[in-house]
Amino acid sequence: MSDRYTRIYAAVRKVPRGRVATYGQIAIVAGLPGHARQVGYALHALTVSTGVPWQRIVNAKGMISLQPMRGGVNQRMLLESEGVKFDAAGRVSLMKFRWKKRR
């Protein structure tokens, strides 16, 4: 596993239950500003039995980027089980549910 992926996974593990972060936000926390796509690639590389809470990462619009048949439905169910709410358009309110990293 690359050092970048290790840093991305460490950043994702910091997102608490019931909160979400964006791909770009995780890139910044991992020390990779401007590399949001790389966060997506790293999360895609995870195995099914991972301990990394991948489901807590959404796009900048607060939406799940995965297609329903590729894990999007599962991601939504996992987030809802943590108390994250979606609106009728399938968006998470980033104002309400975005993780705010403590300094």
Side-chain angles (χ1 to χ4, degrees):
M1 178 179 0
S2 77
D3 175 59
R4 287 180 174 216
Y5 279 22
T6 301
R7 290 171 20 207
I8 289 168
Y9 299 149
V12 173
R13 283 188 181 99
K14 293 178 182 181
V15 181
R17 183 177 177 80
R19 295 288 175 194
V20 298
T22 65
Y23 293 96
Q25 184 180 0
I26 292 300
I28 290 167
V29 172
L32 303 165
H35 288 86
R37 282 184 189 245
Q38 188 156 29
V39 173
Y41 298 145
L43 296 180
H44 181 74
L46 290 169
T47 61
V48 174
S49 61
T50 185
V52 178
W54 61 271
Q55 74 275 8
R56 297 180 186 151
I57 312 308
V58 296
N59 67 29
K61 295 179 183 177
M63 298 180 78
I64 292 172
S65 292
L66 295 173
Q67 296 299 317
M69 297 308 291
R70 301 239 185 235
V73 172
N74 188 36
Q75 183 177 7
R76 181 173 175 151
M77 289 172 37
L78 289 168
L79 287 171
E80 288 177 333
S81 74
E82 294 183 4
V84 176
K85 306 281 187 223
F86 289 79
D87 67 14
R91 289 182 303 248
V92 173
S93 169
L94 293 177
M95 291 288 288
K96 184 173 183 179
F97 292 101
R98 184 193 297 250
W99 169 55
K100 294 166 184 75
K101 184 176 178 256
R102 294 184 184 185
R103 295 190 183 254

